[in-house]
Amino acid sequence: MHIFRTHNCNELRLKDKSKPVKLSGWVHRKRDHGNLLFIDLRDHYGITQVVIDKSNKNFSLAEKTTSESVITIAGKVTPRSEESLNKNLPTGEIEVAVEEYIIESGAKPLPLEVNSDKDYGEDTRLKFRFLDLRRAKMQKNILLRNKVISLIRDGMIKQSFTEIQTPILTASSPEGARDYLVPSRVHPGKFYALPQAPQQFKQLLMIAGFDKYFQIAPCFRDEDSRADRSPGEFYQLDYEMSFVTQEDVFSALEPVLFDIFTKLTKNFSISKPPFKKIPFDECVKKYGNDKPDLRNPLILSDVTDIFKGSSFKLFAENINKGSIVIAIPAPNSKDQPRTFFDKLNNWAKDEGQGGMGYIQFIKNEGKGPIANNLDKERINKFLKIEGVDGNSSIFFLCGKSDEIREFAALARTKIANELKLIKENEFKFCWVVDYPMYQLNPETNKIEFSHNPFSMPQGGLKALENEEPLKIKAYQYDIVCNGVELSSGAIRNHKPEIMLKAFELAGYARKELEKEFGGLLKAFDYGAPPHGGCAPGIDRIVMLIAGEPNIREIIPFPFNQKAEDLMMNAPAEIDEERLKELSLKVLDLKMKD
RNA sequence: GGGGGUGUAGCUCAGUUGGUUUAGAGCGCCUGCCUGUCACGCAGGAAGUCGCGAGUUCGAGUCUCGUCACUCCCGCCA
């Protein structure tokens, strides 16, 4: 017999009765009846009840065993009597009557209970992550993560993508987030950087002729954390394809996502490929931002023209000063009481807005303070807005274009939630396409790349030379699910002359470009295929399927909010010797105060 | 760097307008009893610098100020 186990803890059934077996696992829970003791023995696979009584020489040893100790028992599979069946356990028809009992590794009193789903503070959970990971929810989430990754591999390999690793120690990139830097021993004063994404490498792989590449790619960015953003590192499904249009990039990913979401959820309705495509400009107009939650049926409308020059002075005057007015419909709200509108108005004020006015239509008749100050002709125009009928209400937000659209996106979600319009069991995907190539930095008043500088501008060199830069679109796109931005991607710019011009418009001199992106730029001079790709965030996909609002719930060993690993004690101070080796000197930080 | 929320037993939390003795509950832990439980039960016990510091007050877990920690958000995230 094997020294540790003949079966795992989720294997034994009635058909195994009378078999001599050996099991190993953790003491999940003990029920001590004095002369009779039940132990729920747990391993990765499940739980089996083992029973031992006073007649056994090991009884007192078993009684003394603490929760989460690791034990090995040998004994006989015994059917349970009718009254003592446990229908909640797959192994609930049997138990194992203990003969041999060995404590492999005792456990001290626990800082957190493995056998409960009680909430613990995150510092406790992260400090004792190995215990936290034993708990049912974390086991489930990590297994889900594994399934997502394995379905990604299956789906990509099936489409003849080649999985290729790219360097972890590479060069710092000038654009984007802060890099994590690694000092070089061999080259004093010089640094490697961890990649923020394998962007340049995947383009070089296309130029190298690998045609279709993918990788479960670790990405490192030194950013501050959010609930949906782990500081330090995260993973992307990074992929890139040669000789493709935007449509080809989409149709490579769509079946993979559809497959993952379909196989790993129950009773959810999932967008079927091809996913909806929404141009960026239209998206911002209709939803307020570029990551729409399409489960929400409400659509924003610009009603500035209707209020312009009207007798509703508050809006009319602000419009003259350059403000716009956005309408958000609230369908079937003729019976909503005054408090419904007051509540939302107060919410808007709490969020720092002037307020959120409204018109309530009851049988085509407009009511409320705004309606009282507007002529009938204008009021009737509201009935023609998308998503509005004679029993709707309309909320209005007035302000400067960019800021008020951003808030309208929040209000759209808030109103839909209040009216319970968002279905919980849906995953709705869309592509946001035609991103602008450039945007104006309001602080410096300079033109900068709005997204990825390597994207191909629509219209190519001609557009860059002849058109107003802020009007140029790029073959640049995002994929969004339920209001969560999963990734962005682009058809790349593979022509050096277009790239030089594109960077020139963003204020980069040729020399600068050659210094920062020399490797890639040089490669374009030796036969570069047209190519494009995308890189959806794996952590966010797992979050969506797991229904977890916090990214740290689906990462085995995440940093805390301050980018520390409390279990491994990272980051940590380094010996003087090793600093010297790296030609580094730590400044006295107290000097700063 | 900025804003909001939280901080009471090992853990999760309650604690009224500032006033009732020794600041409570559940889980965990320790002791005893218990041979059919499955969140076993019963009886008892240990366990607290109410984050820290100052202030107001006859009196502070409770109010004020400062500070620290945790958490969510803004900035940041080509």
Side-chain angles (χ1 to χ4, degrees):
Chain A
M1 201 178 255
H2 191 272
I3 57 166
F4 296 123
R5 60 183 174 192
T6 56
H7 297 77
N8 70 43
C9 292
N10 196 24
E11 245 184 318
L12 296 171
R13 299 289 186 273
L14 204 51
K15 66 176 168 47
D16 299 302
K17 74 176 173 192
S18 310
K19 264 190 202 165
V21 296
K22 205 178 259 188
L23 298 178
S24 287
W26 285 262
V27 174
H28 187 66
R29 190 169 270 130
K30 266 182 359 183
R31 289 174 294 280
D32 190 348
H33 291 236
N35 293 313
L36 175 74
L37 169 65
F38 297 98
I39 295 173
D40 289 339
L41 190 62
R42 184 197 73 237
D43 66 8
H44 176 66
Y45 307 96
I47 286 176
T48 301
Q49 174 168 282
V50 306
V51 60
I52 183 168
D53 72 17
K54 211 176 185 175
S55 63
N56 190 301
K57 62 180 188 303
N58 291 312
F59 185 71
S60 65
L61 187 64
E63 262 193 320
K64 270 193 300 194
T65 312
T66 52
S67 281
E68 293 306 307
S69 294
V70 173
I71 62 170
T72 298
I73 60 107
K76 204 161 270 176
V77 179
T78 317
R80 298 203 201 179
S81 70
E82 191 66 37
E83 316 84 67
S84 59
L85 296 176
N86 185 344
K87 286 179 183 130
N88 300 320
L89 283 183
T91 60
E93 287 182 317
I94 55 96
E95 64 197 5
V96 177
V98 173
E99 286 156 18
E100 299 299 325
Y101 187 101
I102 296 163
I103 298 178
E104 303 282 1
S105 169
K108 290 206 279 192
L110 302 167
L112 60 87
E113 289 161 40
V114 172
N115 62 19
S116 84
D117 52 9
K118 191 158 96 178
D119 255 339
Y120 287 88
E122 232 179 21
D123 39 351
T124 307
R125 293 182 57 198
L126 292 180
K127 191 166 178 190
F128 295 94
R129 191 60 157 179
F130 52 91
L131 287 178
D132 190 38
L133 286 169
R134 283 184 201 169
R135 310 210 302 165
K137 188 182 87 169
M138 291 306 292
Q139 290 266 319
K140 196 174 143 215
N141 284 353
I142 301 306
L143 286 180
L144 174 67
R145 189 185 177 95
N146 164 258
K147 285 177 191 147
V148 167
I149 287 174
S150 102
L151 285 171
I152 285 174
R153 282 221 164 83
D154 290 352
M156 299 307 281
I157 290 168
K158 211 178 346 178
Q159 297 183 76
S160 306
F161 280 85
T162 308
E163 186 171 6
I164 303 175
Q165 284 76 49
T166 51
I168 299 299
L169 290 176
T170 181
S172 176
S173 63
E175 299 268 334
R178 274 182 296 271
D179 291 310
Y180 278 101
L181 297 175
V182 178
S184 163
R185 174 183 59 84
V186 185
H187 302 280
K190 292 188 176 177
F191 293 82
Y192 303 96
L194 307 184
Q196 296 184 25
Q199 180 65 36
Q200 293 189 61
F201 288 109
K202 70 173 172 179
Q203 293 193 241
L204 288 162
L205 285 169
M206 292 303 96
I207 296 165
F210 284 98
D211 201 60
K212 295 203 291 189
Y213 140 93
F214 86 101
Q215 182 181 195
I216 312 294
C219 303
F220 305 90
R221 294 179 193 175
D222 186 1
E223 304 163 323
D224 287 332
S225 82
R226 288 289 182 277
D228 64 350
R229 200 170 74 194
S230 185
E233 56 193 80
F234 62 96
Y235 282 80
Q236 288 181 341
L237 160 56
D238 192 44
Y239 74 99
E240 195 78 6
M241 311 163 75
S242 292
F243 307 111
V244 289
T245 63
Q246 190 167 284
E247 290 297 320
D248 298 320
V249 175
F250 296 170
S251 53
L253 182 63
E254 286 171 356
V256 178
L257 288 179
F258 181 74
D259 193 46
I260 290 171
F261 278 76
T262 306
K263 284 187 174 149
L264 301 180
T265 57
K266 272 184 198 149
N267 305 321
F268 269 74
S269 121
I270 321 281
S271 304
K272 287 194 182 61
F275 299 158
K276 189 172 184 175
K277 280 133 210 129
I278 308 171
F280 175 85
D281 290 342
E282 179 189 331
C283 190
V284 170
K285 273 190 191 131
K286 281 183 158 176
Y287 308 104
N289 60 26
D290 62 348
K291 42 180 184 176
D293 186 346
L294 295 185
R295 294 175 304 170
N296 182 342
L298 305 184
I299 287 176
L300 311 178
S301 300
D302 188 326
V303 292
T304 310
D305 284 348
I306 302 180
F307 279 103
K308 198 171 188 174
S310 75
S311 45
F312 189 63
K313 289 280 183 277
L314 178 66
F315 283 5
E317 281 167 16
N318 279 323
I319 289 167
N320 287 337
K321 289 179 204 153
S323 286
I324 63 164
V325 181
I326 291 174
I328 312 171
N332 303 320
S333 54
K334 70 169 162 42
D335 296 327
Q336 290 291 353
R338 173 75 189 262
T339 49
F340 170 75
F341 301 96
D342 289 345
K343 191 170 138 191
L344 283 159
N345 186 32
N346 288 334
W347 167 79
K349 284 180 175 166
D350 287 345
E351 295 285 317
Q353 299 298 319
M356 190 155 65
Y358 66 94
I359 288 179
Q360 184 178 28
F361 283 101
I362 300 174
K363 292 181 184 163
N364 296 311
E365 198 71 33
K367 313 253 179 201
I370 291 183
N372 295 341
N373 284 295
L374 271 185
D375 52 89
K376 259 239 150 73
E377 200 180 323
R378 290 179 197 260
I379 292 173
N380 285 336
K381 282 186 182 166
F382 291 126
L383 287 168
K384 291 182 183 135
I385 291 175
E386 189 171 359
V388 172
D389 65 25
N391 290 319
S392 301
S393 301
I394 306 174
F395 287 95
F396 299 102
L397 291 166
C398 180
K400 297 280 178 231
S401 177
D402 289 350
E403 294 152 33
I404 205 68
R405 278 191 208 286
E406 208 172 298
F407 183 72
L410 287 181
R412 174 178 171 265
T413 305
K414 177 80 180 172
I415 293 165
N417 281 331
E418 289 292 327
L419 294 170
K420 298 194 168 54
L421 295 175
I422 298 180
K423 286 186 195 151
E424 292 295 324
N425 57 342
E426 272 187 325
F427 285 112
K428 287 205 156 180
F429 287 93
C430 66
W431 294 95
V432 179
V433 299
D434 302 335
Y435 272 80
M437 185 80 189
Y438 300 102
Q439 64 191 18
L440 203 63
N441 182 327
E443 277 166 30
T444 61
N445 222 26
K446 279 183 181 159
I447 285 173
E448 56 184 30
F449 289 110
S450 74
H451 245 74
N452 187 323
F454 303 111
S455 302
M456 182 66 99
Q458 295 185 17
L461 193 58
K462 263 191 192 162
L464 293 181
E465 281 169 342
N466 302 322
E467 283 180 36
E468 167 71 30
L470 291 173
K471 285 190 178 149
I472 300 170
K473 306 293 182 210
Y475 289 109
Q476 166 82 45
Y477 36 83
D478 272 13
I479 184 159
V480 176
C481 177
N482 290 5
V484 175
E485 183 195 317
L486 289 180
S487 87
S488 56
I491 296 298
R492 318 298 173 189
N493 186 343
H494 67 287
K495 292 180 185 287
E497 71 274 17
I498 302 182
M499 191 169 282
L500 284 168
K501 184 74 193 170
F503 274 81
E504 188 191 308
L505 286 177
Y508 285 83
R510 184 189 191 108
K511 267 199 175 153
E512 236 173 310
L513 179 59
E514 277 168 359
K515 186 180 162 225
E516 304 292 0
F517 305 104
L520 185 62
L521 208 56
K522 194 187 295 164
F524 288 143
D525 287 335
Y526 294 92
H531 61 284
C534 188
I538 290 173
D539 307 275
R540 297 221 174 132
I541 292 173
V542 180
M543 280 174 79
L544 280 170
I545 298 173
E548 290 286 0
N550 192 306
I551 198 165
R552 296 187 288 277
E553 299 296 327
I554 53 96
I555 298 175
F557 300 105
F559 276 161
N560 69 4
Q561 243 182 7
K562 284 184 172 168
E564 297 164 312
D565 183 334
L566 299 176
M567 200 172 50
M568 304 300 283
N569 189 29
E573 284 168 5
I574 292 295
D575 289 346
E576 198 60 38
E577 271 305 294
R578 293 174 65 194
L579 287 176
K580 216 170 161 185
E581 198 171 51
L582 295 165
S583 317
L584 290 181
K585 194 165 200 169
V586 177
L587 298 174
D588 190 351
L589 297 178
K590 283 174 199 141
M591 299 282 281
K592 276 170 79 177
D593 300 333

